[in-house]
Amino acid sequence: MTVPAFFTLTPDGARLALRVTPNARTALIDGPELRADGSCALKVRVAAPPDKGAANAAVLTLLAKVTGLPKSAFTLISGQTSRSKLVAIAGDPQRLATILARLSFR
């Protein structure tokens, strides 16, 4: 069985579906998670609390670090107060596909 991708390519970059756990012991990418509805999200843990956008900022910082992309390439589209988030990444879609595919194997 093939797991659906946690990202989709767009003409100007990619969109990334996340499932975030704040207040974790350490910040890390857990890998993709298949949801009950058949969709897929990338599981992310951050040490920051879900207070005043701290966890959201920590998520974007972690994504920038693990992908090697500038933090300015990431924009939180939805899920500001939810554990489920959608992030846009600006850049060449094919290059982003290669980078994001590597996150599946963490």
Side-chain angles (χ1 to χ4, degrees), residues 81-105:
T81 60
S82 171
R83 290 181 63 186
S84 295
K85 302 186 184 299
L86 187 61
V87 173
I89 310 171
D92 175 55
Q94 295 309 314
R95 179 172 175 250
L96 292 175
T98 301
I99 291 168
L100 295 173
R102 284 185 285 197
L103 297 179
S104 297
F105 302 106

Side-chain angles (χ1 to χ4, degrees), residues 4-7 29-32 40 42 99-106:
F6 55 87
F7 65 92
I29 304 287
D30 274 337
C40 188
L42 187 64
I99 291 168
L100 295 173
R102 284 185 285 197
L103 297 179
S104 297
F105 302 106
R106 291 197 164 258

Side-chain angles (χ1 to χ4, degrees), residues 16-32:
L16 183 61
L18 304 176
R19 177 73 171 161
V20 176
T21 302
N23 291 324
R25 184 171 299 202
T26 185
L28 58 89
I29 304 287
D30 274 337

Side-chain angles (χ1 to χ4, degrees), residues 11-86:
D12 59 345
R15 289 190 179 196
L16 183 61
L18 304 176
R19 177 73 171 161
V20 176
T21 302
N23 291 324
R25 184 171 299 202
T26 185
L28 58 89
I29 304 287
D30 274 337
E33 171 184 66
L34 189 59
R35 296 176 177 174
D37 65 0
S39 65
C40 188
L42 187 64
K43 289 172 40 179
V44 178
R45 295 183 199 190
V46 293
D51 186 40
K52 299 180 181 155
N56 292 337
V59 166
L60 299 181
T61 299
L62 176 62
L63 290 172
K65 179 180 175 184
V66 299
T67 61
L69 298 169
K71 189 175 171 187
S72 61
F74 296 88
T75 305
L76 184 62
I77 297 174
S78 66
Q80 284 77 4
T81 60
S82 171
R83 290 181 63 186
S84 295
K85 302 186 184 299
L86 187 61

